Amino acid sequence: MPIIDHFKPPGFATDLTPENQTQWSNFLSTNYFERSKKGSSDENDGPRKQFFDPTVDEVDSLPKEEIITWSAFPRQVAVSSTGDLQRWKKADSTRAVQDEYCEWSVHRDTNGRILWIDFTSEGPEYWKVMAQLQPETVVELYRKHIAIDIDQHDLFPAGQYEPLNRWNNSTSNGAMHLIQGANTLGAEIELAGGATIVRRRNGELVSNEQDLILCSGYGAPKRHSDPHIGAEINGLAREGRLITLADPVGLFIQGCDFSGFTLPTHNVTAAQCWHIVRGTQERPLRVRFAPPDGENFTVSDVQVDGKAIAFGGQIADKISIALAGWATPSTNHLSITDGCRKVSASPLAAVAAAAPAGALATRR
Amino acid sequence: MPDSFPTRQYPYQREAPNVLRTAEPLAVLAPDTLHRFIVGEDDIKAPPGAPPLPVPLDSVTLQSLNDPFARLLRSKKPHPLTARSLVSALDMDKSMQRLSFVIGEGLQIPFTPDTADLARQLRVAVVWRSDNELSVLLSTAPPFDDQTIFLQVIGLDAQANLFNFYERRMGVWSWAGNSRHALSAPTRGKGPFDSHVNGALVMKELKLPWPHWSSEAAFELPGLDAKAPVLQEELIAQRTGAQELEPLVRTGIRRWTRARVTDALAGDTIVDVPALLRHLLSATTVNLVCSVQESEVRPPGDRLPIPITPFLDANLLLDELALPVDMDGLTAPWQHYKNMLVTQGYELRDQTGRLAKRGDIHFAFPAFERSNEDLAVVSELIEQGVLSTRLAACLAMVDFPNPVWSQRREALLRHVPTSIKRGIQGWDLATPILASITASPTSMDPTSPEAEFLKLWEIETGWEDTFGRRIKDYLNALQNRLNDANGFNDIGRLVESQRRRARKRPLLEFSLTLPRATKLDHTNWRMTTTATIERS
């Protein structure tokens, strides 16, 4: 029997009716897991024999959960900047550079003081499916988490959900879910599948993080996320395990390292400013950083590493994003592929061709 | 071949040559008793002809030690004398969460029959954290049941805001001093303070990609035999990436620095101003930085990211002082770098001189920046009103293309008053420094650092923009040099001369930390404002 009947919504979200949850599960399984298991044999990148769909495939032993974490701050911004101030400014300037599966929006008062910062790790696909099945729920959630008076036509111009609507397309007007082109659940599933291919080159198994991602072509080498996720998964694959993504599939905000936070009052801790507003304690999807209700200081009065918070990026530095994988204890499934992936078309074209309609950008 | 750690085993050879050289338990030392052995104080107290030994700590001092490790030793008998038993004992305190981190300078050199015998210096840093701060740090190496391998502990006294240093010495635990002992003679630079030079936590590879640490940038340990039993040890198998140690160390440095500076400012007089200003005008210690790019993996676009801070104190000038400089980070053509490794004869050798590989360490272009400890003091001095941003900027802009070692900037220390009194408007360092420099005959020499400072100080209005433009011009010149093959090689010469200088510090105790450019002579180079190099 497969391990689970169906995938639950990301973060154990309870937005969808039971019937629609099944639809969500079928969507994931058919559109992403099936494709990711297949890969591309033409490109020496499939089938991915050590990657399985837990709603469809049977495995010989119950898998164990493995959590893989990485820093939320966009590494590519960090390495291309001259220092902290510049990189925080860059990262806060546009969602387009927030490519580590975490995006944020900074809400300020008329004096420029930060009142709250919202961080999200919710994949766009879930919202698109929800918009098709329960559009009224989407409107409710936007009104609850972004602004109470949002006009539904802002979200559904011409009757169809627009992920890049004005309440979700900037770093200052709200961030409901991920919109950066590479921050998708589809990319996550494809990355996981691609990373399960154990590659041998010149008689040696490839194991170095950068070598792996360049050889297998499953993501952007210079991010925190892709190389690290790929290396961890490939490490399990080299042990001969069967691997998949744990249920519920999705990214989550694993936590924030509060070492270095200083508050203007001893009565409140940084942890008390960390409000999980969607998801669960184990799988936070959306977090707001703001003083607790009733306190008369702002986020701008909080210091991180001795500096007053002026950018969401200063907190992103301290946030870990995660995904959960499942790996079987059994280790007799090793399948080795000789050589690297051969990309026949441009990488973008190759993955776009494999993606379901209406979506879904690659992480390349 | 097992690693050896001669600089971690007692004694601290450079500073205490008369200390008994043994790690073996000594029967004369009372078991399960916390001793003291502070190098600089206790090693000189032995009777004539007798080797100095740890002595049992007096009861007043014993009770005053208020970190979790001291509390453990007071309450638990027998004392844990191995890493394994110590971890087990500290784990009993459920108010703390344990994390372990792995470091080793040879851990990224793949294990093969040819490299099997390399001394890779595998070490473990075990941290217990509580309330988001590092409470206890254990530094050791396998085998974890060994009673002679080095075992060093740092404990945070959260009330006194300082760190206590301990080591297992000759079969007993000894208190080796606290953060304050690092600051002045006769203990400054001795014992643990030869590398914890300011009494703070030290992680010399503090930033991404944390070279030599297992981290999210390089988590696997290809330098170890995949079948080695040590890989099954929980401290290694369940390790956390060094990216999570960095914030703990930064917070610890800041906590101690704040306490230390606040103490110094507590009365109406700062009695040792040079001890504070040396953190701006000289480099009391250094941090190791490098490119985020692996040295053997071609980067996208064939451009190698180059760290900026070996060539500019960006942490201070651009971040802390926010001088406006609008440009991207530095890069260089990959081929220039690969060619330089060959033409300058880069190689890595272990402690025994064995050749590990020809080429660079795992991440490209290791170099040095001014330390976070030094920056923390300057930042604190600015925040507490001792240093104005303008004075800090003018001093830091003297010889700014040489952020780490600058004799010119260091020479200005002679103009720092020994003490200053707090005035009605607070602390005024600018007046006495300016007066001393102006009165100095050397200020008449236009090439002197004094003259350079005066010219910077003369710019009263718009100094931020002016300094920012100078830095930008310099960085543009530097980028042009990096783009040019000869220019890149010159920068390589400069960096190698900095490495040679750094190797003399106790902090750089392991050979595999840095490559050596074996085909370069031993000229010392410095950078100019046009990004050319000249002999220093």
Side-chain angles (χ1 to χ4, degrees):
Chain A
M1 269 186 61
I3 299 167
I4 54 174
D5 287 334
H6 62 271
F7 292 112
K8 296 183 197 58
F12 301 103
T14 54
D15 315 307
L16 296 176
T17 64
E19 188 184 83
N20 288 338
Q21 287 187 23
T22 306
Q23 293 231 40
W24 163 250
S25 176
N26 292 341
F27 170 83
L28 270 192
S29 184
T30 310
N31 287 301
Y32 297 113
F33 276 83
E34 202 172 295
R35 289 172 197 266
S36 195
K37 279 164 54 180
K38 205 185 298 185
S40 165
S41 55
D42 288 346
E43 294 184 353
N44 196 30
D45 192 38
R48 285 116 177 225
K49 296 178 182 167
Q50 288 178 249
F51 185 67
F52 70 97
D53 179 340
T55 65
V56 166
D57 300 312
E58 296 185 19
V59 295
D60 58 0
S61 47
L62 274 181
K64 246 182 48 165
E65 187 173 273
E66 307 274 348
I67 305 283
I68 301 171
T69 63
W70 60 91
S71 169
F73 190 90
R75 188 178 189 272
Q76 298 192 101
V77 169
V79 304
S80 66
S81 300
T82 50
D84 288 341
L85 203 51
Q86 189 189 55
R87 69 183 175 86
W88 291 329
K89 278 184 187 161
K90 275 190 199 173
D92 269 38
S93 66
T94 169
R95 300 268 287 277
V97 301
Q98 295 172 3
D99 63 354
E100 303 281 5
Y101 287 118
C102 177
E103 297 172 30
W104 62 87
S105 177
V106 180
H107 190 94
R108 298 173 191 267
D109 66 16
T110 49
N111 295 317
R113 297 181 65 75
I114 299 176
L115 299 179
W116 68 79
I117 306 174
D118 285 334
F119 296 91
T120 179
S121 64
E122 293 202 61
E125 295 91 338
Y126 175 70
W127 285 81
K128 288 176 192 170
V129 167
M130 184 163 47
Q132 285 171 11
L133 299 173
Q134 291 175 213
E136 67 287 351
T137 306
V138 169
V139 177
E140 267 169 41
L141 289 171
Y142 265 83
R143 286 176 177 162
K144 180 178 178 186
H145 294 292
I146 306 291
I148 198 149
D149 54 355
I150 285 178
D151 185 334
Q152 70 175 53
H153 294 106
D154 287 345
L155 309 180
F156 292 88
Q160 184 155 355
Y161 178 61
E162 172 52 70
L164 298 175
N165 62 78
R166 61 184 282 250
W167 301 104
N168 189 38
N169 67 357
S170 74
T171 54
S172 57
N173 213 29
M176 191 69 243
H177 60 76
L178 303 174
I179 56 169
Q180 204 276 352
N183 290 343
T184 67
L185 296 182
E188 178 198 357
I189 297 166
E190 169 59 18
L191 194 167
T196 59
I197 295 203
V198 176
R199 296 195 182 267
R200 182 168 50 202
R201 192 177 54 196
N202 303 326
E204 305 268 344
L205 294 186
V206 181
S207 63
N208 171 276
E209 265 197 26
Q210 284 292 301
D211 275 343
L212 272 169
I213 194 169
L214 291 171
C215 187
S216 280
Y218 48 63
K222 295 294 114 185
R223 294 195 180 111
H224 284 299
S225 48
D226 297 358
H228 189 58
I229 295 168
E232 294 275 292
I233 289 176
N234 197 261
L236 295 167
R238 292 197 306 279
E239 290 172 2
R241 303 178 196 280
L242 293 177
I243 296 146
T244 189
L245 290 167
D247 181 53
V249 172
L251 298 315
F252 57 98
I253 301 172
Q254 202 216 21
C256 185
D257 182 342
F258 296 115
S259 55
F261 279 68
T262 312
L263 269 69
T265 165
H266 292 299
N267 300 328
V268 179
T269 64
Q272 289 173 306
C273 299
W274 182 255
H275 310 281
I276 298 171
V277 296
R278 275 182 61 76
T280 64
Q281 288 291 331
E282 291 75 38
R283 297 282 189 268
L285 295 175
R286 179 185 188 78
V287 173
R288 173 169 288 189
F289 187 86
D293 286 343
E295 293 295 331
N296 63 357
F297 64 91
T298 68
V299 174
S300 298
D301 298 312
V302 179
Q303 289 191 347
V304 178
D305 295 338
K307 290 188 169 41
I309 296 177
F311 305 98
Q314 290 170 263
I315 301 184
D317 276 348
K318 305 295 191 172
I319 291 176
S320 292
I321 304 298
L323 61 80
W326 275 340
T328 59
S330 55
T331 54
N332 51 336
H333 307 287
L334 181 64
S335 169
I336 297 179
T337 297
D338 281 301
C340 292
R341 176 179 176 159
K342 303 183 210 351
V343 179
S344 47
S346 81
L348 279 169
V351 177
L360 293 170
T362 174
R363 282 187 72 72
R364 288 169 183 76
Chain B
M1 171 179 137
D3 285 331
S4 71
F5 299 90
T7 54
R8 297 289 175 106
Q9 303 286 25
Y10 349 99
Y12 301 94
Q13 297 172 8
R14 270 178 255 245
E15 299 300 334
N18 56 321
V19 172
L20 194 62
R21 293 168 194 267
T22 176
E24 300 289 334
L26 264 191
V28 297
L29 299 177
D32 303 327
T33 303
L34 181 56
H35 288 61
R36 67 169 272 160
F37 195 85
I38 301 177
V39 181
E41 287 184 358
D42 299 324
D43 56 319
I44 56 175
K45 284 179 182 165
L53 295 177
V55 295
L57 207 49
D58 64 274
S59 58
V60 170
T61 308
L62 178 63
Q63 292 306 318
S64 74
L65 295 176
N66 191 27
D67 59 85
F69 184 63
R71 291 195 290 272
L72 171 76
L73 294 185
R74 283 198 294 269
S75 63
K76 181 173 170 53
K77 308 269 190 288
H79 283 175
L81 295 177
T82 66
R84 199 183 306 282
S85 60
L86 180 54
V87 167
S88 182
L90 281 167
D91 279 354
M92 303 290 287
D93 185 340
K94 300 302 178 196
S95 71
M96 301 193 292
Q97 175 206 11
R98 167 165 53 93
L99 301 169
S100 59
F101 304 91
V102 170
I103 179 173
E105 282 68 15
L107 294 181
Q108 294 299 323
I109 300 172
F111 183 91
T112 66
D114 289 338
T115 66
D117 285 343
L118 274 180
R120 298 173 193 272
Q121 313 295 352
L122 167 66
R123 308 185 295 291
V124 170
V126 190
V127 161
W128 285 264
R129 54 181 281 176
S130 146
D131 290 333
N132 303 310
E133 287 207 61
L134 185 153
S135 293
V136 182
L137 171 72
L138 162 65
S139 181
T140 189
F144 298 130
D145 296 305
D146 191 308
Q147 290 208 23
T148 60
I149 196 86
F150 76 92
L151 208 60
Q152 296 164 337
V153 172
I154 301 174
L156 169 67
D157 182 333
Q159 282 167 343
N161 289 310
L162 53 71
F163 293 98
N164 285 309
F165 294 77
Y166 304 89
E167 55 189 355
R168 189 207 53 222
R169 176 181 283 270
M170 299 176 219
V172 297
W173 281 102
S174 289
W175 178 54
N178 66 37
S179 299
R180 293 199 189 100
H181 288 100
L183 299 181
S184 48
T187 47
R188 180 168 178 78
K190 297 188 180 164
F193 310 116
D194 69 352
S195 47
H196 294 266
V197 295
N198 298 304
L201 299 174
V202 168
M203 181 182 178
K204 67 180 179 293
E205 309 87 351
L206 189 59
K207 286 180 180 169
L208 173 74
W210 312 280
H212 308 306
W213 290 86
S214 173
S215 75
E216 66 176 32
F219 193 74
E220 300 299 317
L221 306 174
L224 298 180
D225 180 354
K227 299 188 211 60
V230 76
L231 283 171
Q232 307 310 316
E233 287 279 5
E234 190 203 341
L235 292 178
I236 294 176
Q238 302 297 323
R239 65 191 180 279
T240 302
Q243 70 275 3
E244 295 198 27
L245 181 58
E246 178 189 337
L248 293 171
V249 170
R250 286 182 185 270
T251 302
I253 289 171
R254 206 168 39 256
R255 182 196 254 269
W256 159 236
T257 302
R258 178 156 291 173
R260 168 202 168 183
V261 171
T262 302
D263 272 349
L265 273 46
D268 286 332
T269 304
I270 304 176
V271 297
D272 188 356
V273 183
L276 297 173
L277 268 281
R278 67 183 167 201
H279 293 284
L280 174 58
L281 295 171
S282 68
T284 64
T285 184
V286 291
N287 284 133
L288 176 64
V289 291
C290 55
S291 174
V292 296
Q293 183 64 34
E294 284 82 349
S295 59
E296 294 182 8
V297 179
R298 193 174 205 105
D302 281 0
R303 296 293 300 192
L304 174 69
I306 299 289
I308 194 174
T309 48
F311 313 109
L312 177 77
D313 190 359
N315 296 324
L316 175 61
L317 294 167
L318 305 191
D319 288 336
E320 183 68 35
L321 298 175
L323 296 180
V325 176
D326 181 23
M327 64 179 282
D328 286 339
L330 300 170
T331 63
W334 176 244
Q335 200 54 50
H336 289 353
Y337 167 70
K338 296 304 280 186
N339 290 345
M340 181 194 73
L341 296 183
V342 174
T343 58
Q344 294 188 1
Y346 270 55
E347 59 181 45
L348 286 170
R349 290 185 183 268
D350 73 2
Q351 309 284 97
T352 69
R354 183 181 289 112
L355 179 67
K357 63 179 274 204
R358 296 201 193 282
D360 212 341
I361 63 169
H362 184 70
F363 291 103
F365 212 86
F368 290 95
E369 66 173 14
R370 287 176 54 73
S371 67
N372 181 259
E373 294 167 58
D374 284 336
L375 175 65
V377 173
V378 176
S379 174
E380 202 59 40
L381 292 174
I382 293 171
E383 179 153 339
Q384 298 211 33
V386 178
L387 265 178
S388 67
T389 52
R390 183 172 166 229
L391 179 60
C394 288
L395 290 169
M397 283 295 288
V398 170
D399 200 21
F400 71 88
N402 294 284
V404 183
W405 290 289
S406 167
Q407 286 177 309
R408 290 176 60 78
R409 203 163 51 248
E410 195 164 342
L412 296 177
L413 260 174
R414 58 180 170 244
H415 301 292
V416 173
T418 309
S419 65
I420 55 168
K421 277 181 128 49
R422 192 198 304 261
I424 295 167
Q425 310 227 327
W427 305 104
D428 176 15
L429 258 183
T431 302
I433 289 177
L434 197 57
S436 174
I437 289 177
T438 307
S440 160
T442 49
S443 68
M444 304 305 292
D445 173 1
T447 66
S448 69
E450 285 84 357
E452 186 179 353
F453 172 82
L454 288 174
K455 283 213 176 63
L456 292 162
W457 189 256
E458 275 165 21
I459 309 168
E460 280 192 58
T461 314
W463 56 268
E464 297 95 332
D465 287 336
T466 303
F467 295 175
R469 275 195 300 276
R470 287 186 193 179
I471 291 172
K472 186 169 179 179
D473 289 345
Y474 161 66
L475 290 177
N476 279 330
L478 179 56
Q479 181 61 72
N480 287 337
R481 295 281 287 159
L482 289 167
N483 287 339
D484 173 74
N486 289 332
F488 188 90
N489 286 337
D490 278 352
I491 305 305
R493 286 193 185 88
L494 173 77
V495 169
E496 176 62 13
S497 77
Q498 291 177 346
R499 289 186 202 128
R500 274 200 307 275
R501 188 163 177 169
R503 277 194 203 99
K504 295 176 188 159
R505 293 182 177 236
L507 189 64
L508 277 297
E509 55 190 314
F510 301 120
S511 267
L512 287 174
T513 304
L514 297 170
R516 286 176 195 265
T518 59
K519 294 186 182 170
L520 294 181
D521 63 30
H522 284 206
T523 306
N524 283 327
W525 298 100
R526 44 177 276 106
M527 185 77 92
T528 69
T529 52
T530 54
T532 54
I533 62 172
E534 63 185 17
R535 283 169 207 275
S536 66

